[in-house]
C-alpha cells in the first residue's frame, strides 16, 4: 500500500508520493523575479531560505489560468532543496493498493514525460497521474531554480 497526496491542477487529478512532500501551505503571492520562465511565479521565504514558486498548471500545459480561492502551495523536496508547486486544491491523503498503480512504460511510444511515475486507477474509473517532482524540470531548468534559491539568478 502506498500513501499519496491527491490534488487538482486544472481539470486533471495528480498525486505525489507522501515522501516527496515537506509541507502544504496556503497560497500567498510570491515576490516576482525578473527574467525567469513564465511558470516561475517568484519566490517566498521558507524556513529562512528562498523557495522558488512554480505554477504547476503553467509548467505542464504552457498556459496560465486564474488562481482559485482554494489554491495551495505544495512544498516538495527537489534535488537537495525545495520548490513550491501552486495547485488548485487538495483532494486529500489517500492510500492505494499496489494493483491500483499502472506503470507508464506500456505507453512509452505515445507518452514520454519523465515526470509521470505512473497512473492510479480509482474505483470510479477516474485516473490520477502520479508525478515525480524530481523529474519535472530539465537539467538547465533545475539549475536555474537552484540559482534562485541561492539568490544568484
Amino acid at each position: 500500500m502506498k500513501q499519496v497526496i491527491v490534488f487538482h491542477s486544472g481539470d486533471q487529478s495528480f498525486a505525489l508520493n507522501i515522501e516527496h512532500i515537506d509541507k502544504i501551505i496556503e497560497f500567498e503571492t510570491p515576490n516576482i523575479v525578473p527574467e525567469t520562465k513564465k511558470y516561475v511565479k517568484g519566490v517566498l521565504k521558507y524556513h529562512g531560505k528562498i523557495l522558488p514558486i512554480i505554477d504547476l498548471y503553467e509548467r505542464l500545459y504552457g498556459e496560465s489560468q486564474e488562481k482559485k480561492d482554494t489554491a495551495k502551495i505544495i512544498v516538495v523536496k527537489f534535488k537537495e532543496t525545495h520548490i513550491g508547486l501552486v495547485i488548485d486544491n487538495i483532494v486529500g491523503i489517500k492510500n492505494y493498493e499496489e494493483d491500483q498503480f499502472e506503470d507508464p512504460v506500456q505507453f512509452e511510444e505515445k507518452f514520454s514525460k519523465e515526470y509521470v511515475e505512473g497512473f492510479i486507477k480509482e474505483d470510479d474509473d477516474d485516473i490520477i497521474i502520479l508525478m515525480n517532482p524530481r523529474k519535472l524540470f530539465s537539467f538547465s531548468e533545475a539549475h536555474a531554480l537552484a540559482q534562485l534559491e541561492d539568490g544568484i539568478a
Side-chain angles (χ1 to χ4, degrees):
M1 185 171 289
K2 277 189 184 175
Q3 193 173 48
V4 300
I5 186 152
V6 178
F7 59 92
H8 291 129
S9 184
D11 293 330
Q12 180 61 53
S13 295
F14 293 93
L16 290 167
N17 281 321
I18 213 80
E19 71 248 12
H20 292 305
I21 299 168
D22 189 59
K23 192 174 189 178
I24 297 169
I25 57 177
E26 293 296 323
F27 177 80
E28 63 179 276
T29 304
N31 296 303
I32 297 170
V33 179
E35 298 183 40
T36 56
K37 299 265 187 187
K38 283 184 68 175
Y39 58 78
V40 178
K41 294 302 162 192
V43 295
L44 292 173
K45 195 170 184 180
Y46 180 72
H47 296 303
K49 294 189 174 188
I50 299 297
L51 178 69
I53 303 299
I54 308 301
D55 184 316
L56 185 62
Y57 185 86
E58 196 163 345
R59 169 65 185 97
L60 298 178
Y61 300 105
E63 55 190 51
S64 62
Q65 65 173 0
E66 192 173 318
K67 291 288 163 283
K68 298 190 173 159
D69 293 339
T70 56
K72 302 275 188 258
I73 296 173
I74 301 177
V75 180
V76 297
K77 298 167 190 158
F78 181 74
K79 311 289 182 188
E80 287 84 43
T81 187
H82 293 91
I83 58 171
L85 300 176
V86 178
I87 54 95
D88 290 340
N89 67 302
I90 301 288
V91 174
I93 296 172
K94 295 189 173 190
N95 295 306
Y96 291 101
E97 298 294 333
E98 291 297 325
D99 65 352
Q100 289 180 276
F101 290 87
E102 192 80 36
D103 193 331
V105 172
Q106 66 180 333
F107 304 104
E108 207 167 327
E109 287 181 23
K110 300 175 190 167
F111 197 84
S112 64
K113 298 298 180 190
E114 288 185 9
Y115 57 79
V116 175
E117 200 169 292
F119 301 96
I120 303 170
K121 300 171 284 188
E122 291 258 79
D123 295 333
D124 60 2
D125 291 335
D126 280 347
I127 296 175
I128 299 169
I129 297 173
L130 181 64
M131 299 180 70
N132 182 342
R134 291 186 178 108
K135 296 184 177 180
L136 194 53
F137 302 97
S138 69
F139 177 79
S140 61
E141 291 168 330
H143 180 69
L145 290 173
Q147 287 183 320
L148 276 177
E149 185 186 39
D150 293 339
I152 58 174

